């Protein structure tokens, strides 16, 4: 079965299931496995140290799949920002057809990608941001509910409200993000008005995910309560896995008056990278969503996507069909 939606038609994939950009995780082996299974995967541009490294990673992915895949480019304000324009050019030069943008004022990047015929999906955490991105000219929206890993915004609106609220106003295709990991979530997202789902934490916990096995096992062991919200007092909320380090950050913020300098060493990205590489879930901050409570195994991407699509069909034509009134022909 293939669930055809506006999104699958837009990007040319078989199933409305997306593996979005994830720092240190969105590498060629995972992206290609998602693509080969009929979904859409995204290489994370800034995981690569330089634009040339990104070019090589895109080439590596092409050797592993002949299916469509994309690149995520997240734009964040920084004292010394990465060379975004050079990363953008590397994406264009490599012939990538789909880009996921996220973050701060992407207009320049959207315009340049669109000028080269690249489809742009922009990740948002609020309806107003989605409408702004639509006016900007993006081709699709990825709307992130409060349940998501990473940055859920500051409005704290869960997907059950955010997705239909966005669907009521956004005219372009939209995928739902935050809290999705199985067929029930996919069917629910479609019912709420989305054209597919984006999964991050669920794809972290697959055989092809390039993170340590012990971290995958920790995700399976965790339940839906095993996250912390950090940077709340700094108005840059991030949902991360609950561990001793994130507990300490939360405690520092609760004391009041905390600045980034007070937690800088605890939240260093280099420590999070070690978590994934060495398999020590307590070493630093790492992203994980509430959907951990729905993750009970470590399948291949093919097994995961096939299962979701098969079970979605069973839900749609089985359980939900039982609630539909029997249709009767009416004679004039």
């Amino acid at each position: 079965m293939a669930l055809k939606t506006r999104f699958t038609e837009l990007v040319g994939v078989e199933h409305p299931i997306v593996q979005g950009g994830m720092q240190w995780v969105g590498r060629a082996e995972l992206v290609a496995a998602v693509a080969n299974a009929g979904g859409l995967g995204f290489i994370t541009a800034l995981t690569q140290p330089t634009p040339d490294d990104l070019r090589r990673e895109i080439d590596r992915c092409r050797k592993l799949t002949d299916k469509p895949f994309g690149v995520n480019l997240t734009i964040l304000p920084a004292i010394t920002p990465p060379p975004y324009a050079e990363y953008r050019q590397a994406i264009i030069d490599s012939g990538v057809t789909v880009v996921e943008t996220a973050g701060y004022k992407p207009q320049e990047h959207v315009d340049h990608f669109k000028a080269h015929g690249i489809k742009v999906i922009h990740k948002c955490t609020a309806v107003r941001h989605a409408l702004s991105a639509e006016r900007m000219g993006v081709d699709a929206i990825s709307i992130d509910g409060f349940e998501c890993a990473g940055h859920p915004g500051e409005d704290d609106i869960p997907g059950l409200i955010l997705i239909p609220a966005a669907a009521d106003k956004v005219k372009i295709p939209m995928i739902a993000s935050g809290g999705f990991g199985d067929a029930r979530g996919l069917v629910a997202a479609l019912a709420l008005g989305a054209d597919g789902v984006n999964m991050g934490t669920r794809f972290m916990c697959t055989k092809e995910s390039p993170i340590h096995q012990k971290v995958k096992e920790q995700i399976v062991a965790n339940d839906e309560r095993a996250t912390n919200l950090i940077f709340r007092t700094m108005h840059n909320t991030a949902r991360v896995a609950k561990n001793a380090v994130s507990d300490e950050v939360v405690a520092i913020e609760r004391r009041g008056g905390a600045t980034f300098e007070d937690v800088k060493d605890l939240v260093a990205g280099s420590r999070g990278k070690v978590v994934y590489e060495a398999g020590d879930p307590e070493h630093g901050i790492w992203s994980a969503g509430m959907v951990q409570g729905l993750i009970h195994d470590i399948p291949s991407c093919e097994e995961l996507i096939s299962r979701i699509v098969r079970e979605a069909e069973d839900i749609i034509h089985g359980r939900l069909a039982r609630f539909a009134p029997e249709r009767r022909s009416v004679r004039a």
Side-chain angles (χ1 to χ4, degrees), residues 4-322:
K4 296 295 184 184
T5 69
R6 293 188 301 165
F7 183 78
T8 61
E9 293 174 356
L10 174 72
V11 298
V13 297
E14 188 176 358
H15 305 304
I17 298 172
V18 177
Q19 166 257 309
M22 293 177 281
Q23 185 71 343
W24 313 126
V25 182
R27 301 180 188 271
E29 56 266 43
L30 174 60
V31 173
V34 172
N36 287 333
L40 181 67
F42 284 95
I43 292 171
T44 306
L46 298 184
T47 291
Q48 301 303 315
T50 71
D52 282 339
D53 286 311
L54 176 58
R55 287 184 173 91
R56 285 188 283 271
E57 190 71 0
I58 294 169
D59 288 342
R60 189 163 76 94
C61 195
R62 283 224 172 85
K63 290 181 173 68
L64 298 172
T65 185
D66 59 359
K67 303 287 184 65
F69 65 88
V71 176
N72 164 279
L73 184 63
T74 298
I75 303 99
L76 297 173
I79 296 172
T80 307
Y84 288 119
E86 294 177 31
Y87 277 98
R88 184 179 72 223
Q89 193 61 52
I91 294 168
I92 293 168
D93 292 344
S94 298
V96 171
T97 58
V98 186
V99 167
E100 177 187 63
T101 57
Y104 188 71
K105 294 185 177 180
Q107 183 74 70
E108 170 191 351
H109 306 285
V110 171
D111 289 345
H112 200 182
F113 286 134
K114 294 291 292 177
H116 287 82
I118 296 172
K119 299 285 194 304
V120 178
I121 304 161
H122 187 65
K123 184 178 285 291
C124 309
T125 60
V127 176
R128 63 188 183 279
H129 299 155
L131 293 172
S132 175
E134 186 176 48
R135 290 191 296 271
M136 205 178 293
V138 305
D139 298 279
I141 296 296
S142 178
I143 193 85
D144 259 15
F146 185 56
E147 306 91 333
C148 73
H151 294 279
E154 304 303 313
D155 294 340
D156 298 359
I157 308 298
L160 192 60
I161 302 299
L162 184 62
I163 297 162
D168 283 345
K169 295 183 178 180
V170 173
K171 296 181 178 63
I172 57 178
M174 185 181 74
I175 55 174
S177 305
F180 295 99
D182 60 20
R184 295 170 296 181
L186 173 57
V187 174
L190 296 174
L192 292 171
D195 299 284
V197 294
N198 175 81
M199 304 191 306
T201 307
R202 175 68 269 198
F203 276 120
M204 287 172 63
C205 204
T206 56
K207 290 177 181 176
E208 296 90 352
S209 169
I211 65 176
H212 200 283
Q213 179 71 11
K214 288 184 178 178
V215 180
K216 299 177 189 181
E217 291 170 358
Q218 186 65 56
I219 292 171
V220 171
N222 285 346
D223 65 17
E224 62 277 7
R225 301 167 298 170
T227 69
N228 272 326
L229 292 170
I230 62 173
F231 304 150
R232 292 291 268 172
T233 62
M234 303 170 201
H235 307 293
N236 188 30
T237 300
R239 187 180 298 281
V240 300
K242 182 177 175 61
N243 61 12
V245 181
S246 62
D247 281 346
E248 186 174 351
V249 174
V250 170
I252 290 170
E253 291 194 69
R254 281 178 178 164
R255 290 200 289 267
T259 67
F260 183 74
E261 289 297 316
D262 297 321
V263 300
K264 181 174 67 173
D265 293 337
L266 292 170
V267 303
S270 56
R271 293 182 62 167
K273 186 178 181 183
V274 170
V275 169
Y276 293 141
E277 292 178 347
D280 179 3
E282 295 294 323
H283 186 81
I285 297 293
W286 53 286
S287 289
M290 299 172 83
V291 74
Q292 288 177 111
L294 303 178
I295 296 174
H296 309 302
D297 62 354
I298 308 171
S300 69
C301 290
E302 172 64 35
E303 290 166 341
L304 176 62
I305 291 176
S306 295
R307 182 171 71 200
I308 289 174
V309 172
R310 181 181 67 254
E311 292 181 357
E313 182 180 28
D314 290 344
I315 292 169
I316 293 168
H317 298 295
R319 184 171 189 274
L320 293 183
R322 295 200 300 270

